[in-house]
Amino acid sequence: MVFLLFLFLSDPAPAIPRFPITEIKVDGARWVSHALVISESGLKIGESYSEKELALARGRIARLPFVLHADFSLDKGEKRGFFTLVIHVREHRLLFHHYNYSFRKRDLPNPLPLRGPGSAEDLSQDAFGNWGLGGRWFLGAYGFAYLTTTLEQVNAKLDFAPGKPVDLGYSHYNLLGTGLFLNVNLQVRSELDQMVYDPFSTRLVRVVEDRSPATTLTLAQPFSNRSQWISLTLDFFENELAFPNGDDFVEVVDEKWFRSSLSWYMDTTNDLSLPTRGRRLEAGLDYGRVTSQFPVQVDHAVEYSPNYEVFTVEALDLRLELAQYHPFTEKLSVYATGVFRTRIQEKGTFLRNPDQTRYQIRSGVDYKIWGADSVDGELRLECFGSHMRRSDDFGHEEIQTLQTGLVFRNSWGLVRAGFQYQHVDVFIGNEESSAK
Amino acid sequence: MNALLLTFLLLSQNPWPQPVKATEGVTIQLPGDILESPKMKRRLFSGLTTTIELATTVKMERGDSVSFFCFLTLRYDVWEERLLVHLVNARKELHTNHFDGLEPLAVWLKDAPILIAFFEEDPGTMLIKTRCRIIPFSQQEAGQTQDWFARKLNVPAAGERGSTNPSKQRESTGETGGQGIFEVLLTTSINRNAVKTYRWKWRLPEGG
């Protein structure tokens, strides 16, 4: 009992601690700059923070795409009563991957109605996977460049995704010291030869698509102490569509695409890719415009300018997304998500993106089987059920999904494999084509 | 030497504590090895708070059951270089201790009984289930519990201790199915993301 300091005081209530910070250090960062971690924490030297505010800051760092794990500790500051905050981070590796694979069992309508681009082909696959591979290089104090590509696995065959897409981009945090996030992405894709469903002729049409590099610019401004963001995304590319079958209305169509999204979102989840607690909310307006130009084919004789037809279609969609994650124990968590989007304005028929309304609700559980945390690797069991309905001018589809699988994550990336059951109902006009 | 002594103290703890039925209720001694892992030690000395929550359900021979909550919060004061410990027992009595390091804390955990349940009269044979959770409090939305502490600040100690307020009595003895707002506050504020959970179960005979 010599060592025991057993001092029961007369019931003093503990004061709520606040910690005045005179210095912020970063520990464990091998590639990312300390300045970037500190700026994204939203914490400032000279301010006092409660434990809750520090916990929220820790969450902001943990959600950065290159951070695997973040933790805080306090050291003595410059003078008594003041503190040095130490931010401990574990980063993802510079090369990373993301693999998804599902065995599928589907109840499909028989005969399967053609509907939407490639839907018949997509729905008939028994097993499907994709494998994203990438690398990241930090440049300067606040930025990094990245390069990614995607492989696709249909049944046992692994190959590049259609068009062999390669994304090259640059992300910059805290632009000009304002907290603004900037991302520029360039996607290069080779010629794509595919069958596309034409709802007017109600048949599949062979289309060879040659797309210019697609440029996407994203700006996001945080506010409310970085718990909420306003983001603007602008997307532009040109497309040349060739119809080599010869019996189509046109032989070549030149398209100019412009898309933009204006979104508000908030995120209090504890993890970017496998959250177990917190909430995500997003609301946005998505605008798309496609200007098509093509020579009119008259009696199989192509007449060039001035006999070009030019028309423009536009669409404005409203999008709402909600996700809520709740832990029951340190291993078991449940979640529910909802996505709703509806077209609020349209000029012409947006054939390449025909959805007028779409909603999806999903609920699932997540159980950690192995691994203390994501730093050394963790294995989880995931199960969810979802219902999705989408409709357009030509009918609608309803898809019920049950999926279960395992997901493994470590500093290299994430592997997810599972089994999926789907029941699909398709309604064209007023006719139902059901799996029943 | 100190590390060796600490290891000895921690290893000598029984990971399955034995409850003691005393006049004031049921007490347990927390096993010291619940703080043994390097990760837990890092957490304890991070300067931020860690909470040990004890949720106890007592099922009595006559069939009814009562729930109790108590918890400890531990925070290392980097300037004072000592661990501050707040204990709220099943009677909702708040005690504050401080320790110079893990060694006296481990000894205290071994020797100091924590009241996890109490009764007005001997309830006879009891089946006791306790869930002990270690929660990185600093990573929680701890607002509600901090608010509760803040309210404690404004309540005279005598008013909280030995109260004969019948409404408080009902709340404490579980006639409302738990401990009322106290339980609600705890379960909604720190009922998340425990880093470690222990479950203990005992059968205590009548009178013993």
Side-chain angles (χ1 to χ4, degrees), chain A residues 337-365:
Chain A
T337 66
V339 178
F340 173 76
R341 64 183 303 149
T342 187
R343 186 145 298 170
I344 54 179
Q345 198 173 347
E346 187 177 51
K347 177 185 164 192
T349 301
F350 214 97
L351 291 177
R352 305 291 291 280
N353 182 14
D355 288 0
Q356 290 288 351
T357 61
R358 172 194 291 242
Y359 71 80
Q360 181 174 31
I361 50 176
R362 176 196 280 201
S363 185
V365 296

Side-chain angles (χ1 to χ4, degrees), chain A residues 243-389:
Chain A
F243 299 86
N245 280 356
D247 56 349
D248 300 308
F249 176 63
V250 293
E251 287 185 346
V252 175
V253 176
D254 290 320
E255 294 180 331
K256 286 183 178 166
W257 281 73
F258 172 74
R259 293 181 295 201
S260 65
S261 291
L262 182 64
S263 301
W264 162 86
Y265 67 90
M266 64 165 286
D267 192 344
T268 61
T269 57
N270 60 345
D271 195 287
L272 190 65
S273 52
L274 295 175
T276 55
R277 70 180 298 264
R279 181 180 296 160
R280 284 183 186 145
L281 286 171
E282 184 166 351
L285 288 171
D286 299 334
Y287 170 78
R289 189 185 72 214
V290 184
T291 302
S292 304
Q293 175 175 295
F294 52 90
V296 179
Q297 196 173 19
V298 181
D299 295 333
H300 299 287
V302 177
E303 296 179 16
Y304 293 100
S305 181
N307 296 319
Y308 271 89
E309 288 285 337
V310 177
F311 68 94
T312 300
V313 295
E314 293 174 288
L316 183 64
D317 294 341
L318 171 68
R319 173 174 40 84
L320 300 169
E321 297 180 28
L322 165 68
Q324 177 77 44
Y325 302 86
H326 183 80
F328 270 119
T329 69
E330 63 263 39
K331 291 188 172 181
L332 180 71
S333 65
V334 298
Y335 68 90
T337 66
V339 178
F340 173 76
R341 64 183 303 149
T342 187
R343 186 145 298 170
I344 54 179
Q345 198 173 347
E346 187 177 51
K347 177 185 164 192
T349 301
F350 214 97
L351 291 177
R352 305 291 291 280
N353 182 14
D355 288 0
Q356 290 288 351
T357 61
R358 172 194 291 242
Y359 71 80
Q360 181 174 31
I361 50 176
R362 176 196 280 201
S363 185
V365 296
D366 177 303
Y367 184 79
K368 183 185 280 189
I369 297 171
W370 172 82
D373 53 44
S374 54
V375 173
D376 303 313
E378 61 179 328
L379 181 68
R380 292 169 176 271
L381 174 68
E382 297 179 324
C383 304
F384 73 81
S386 72
H387 174 81
M388 195 264 279
R389 185 185 194 278

Side-chain angles (χ1 to χ4, degrees), chain B residues 149-166:
Chain B
F149 272 133
R151 278 196 292 277
K152 288 283 289 185
L153 194 63
N154 300 322
V155 176
E160 280 292 293
R161 274 198 184 151
S163 168
T164 55
N165 182 329

Side-chain angles (χ1 to χ4, degrees), chain B residues 104-134:
Chain B
L105 173 63
V107 173
W108 178 73
L109 286 176
K110 182 169 180 278
D111 291 345
I114 297 173
L115 185 73
I116 60 167
F118 65 94
F119 308 95
E120 300 303 316
E121 55 189 43
D122 190 342
T125 303
M126 293 179 285
L127 181 65
I128 302 175
K129 291 180 183 174
T130 296
R131 183 189 65 189
C132 172
R133 304 195 310 155
I134 306 203

Side-chain angles (χ1 to χ4, degrees), chain A residues 1 3-17 19 50-52 54-56 58 70-83 85 268 270 276-277 326-331 372-373, chain B residues 5 39 43 46-49 75 78-81 86 93-100 103-104 107-108 111-112 133 137-143 146 149-150 152-153 157 160-161 191-197 199:
Chain A
M1 302 297 281
F3 309 102
L4 189 65
L5 278 173
F6 190 73
L7 185 63
F8 272 103
L9 304 179
S10 58
D11 207 18
I16 299 171
F19 306 101
S50 68
E51 293 202 29
K52 182 179 179 183
L54 293 176
L56 292 172
R58 192 204 68 84
D71 217 342
F72 284 2
S73 66
L74 297 170
D75 276 344
K76 289 177 183 173
E78 290 171 358
K79 54 184 178 180
R80 190 170 184 84
F82 291 82
F83 298 90
L85 175 70
T268 61
N270 60 345
T276 55
R277 70 180 298 264
H326 183 80
F328 270 119
T329 69
E330 63 263 39
K331 291 188 172 181
D373 53 44
Chain B
L5 177 62
K39 187 178 285 185
R43 193 181 301 283
S46 69
L48 300 167
T49 307
R75 183 170 65 81
V78 297
W79 278 105
E80 297 291 336
E81 297 184 346
H86 298 298
E93 295 163 339
L94 172 64
H95 304 285
T96 300
N97 302 327
H98 51 83
F99 303 98
D100 287 342
E103 294 167 31
V107 173
W108 178 73
D111 291 345
R133 304 195 310 155
F137 204 54
S138 60
Q139 295 175 13
Q140 308 302 312
E141 292 173 358
Q146 289 188 344
F149 272 133
K152 288 283 289 185
L153 194 63
E160 280 292 293
R161 274 198 184 151
N191 186 21
R192 288 174 179 175
N193 278 26
V195 292
K196 189 74 184 168
T197 300
R199 293 177 195 278

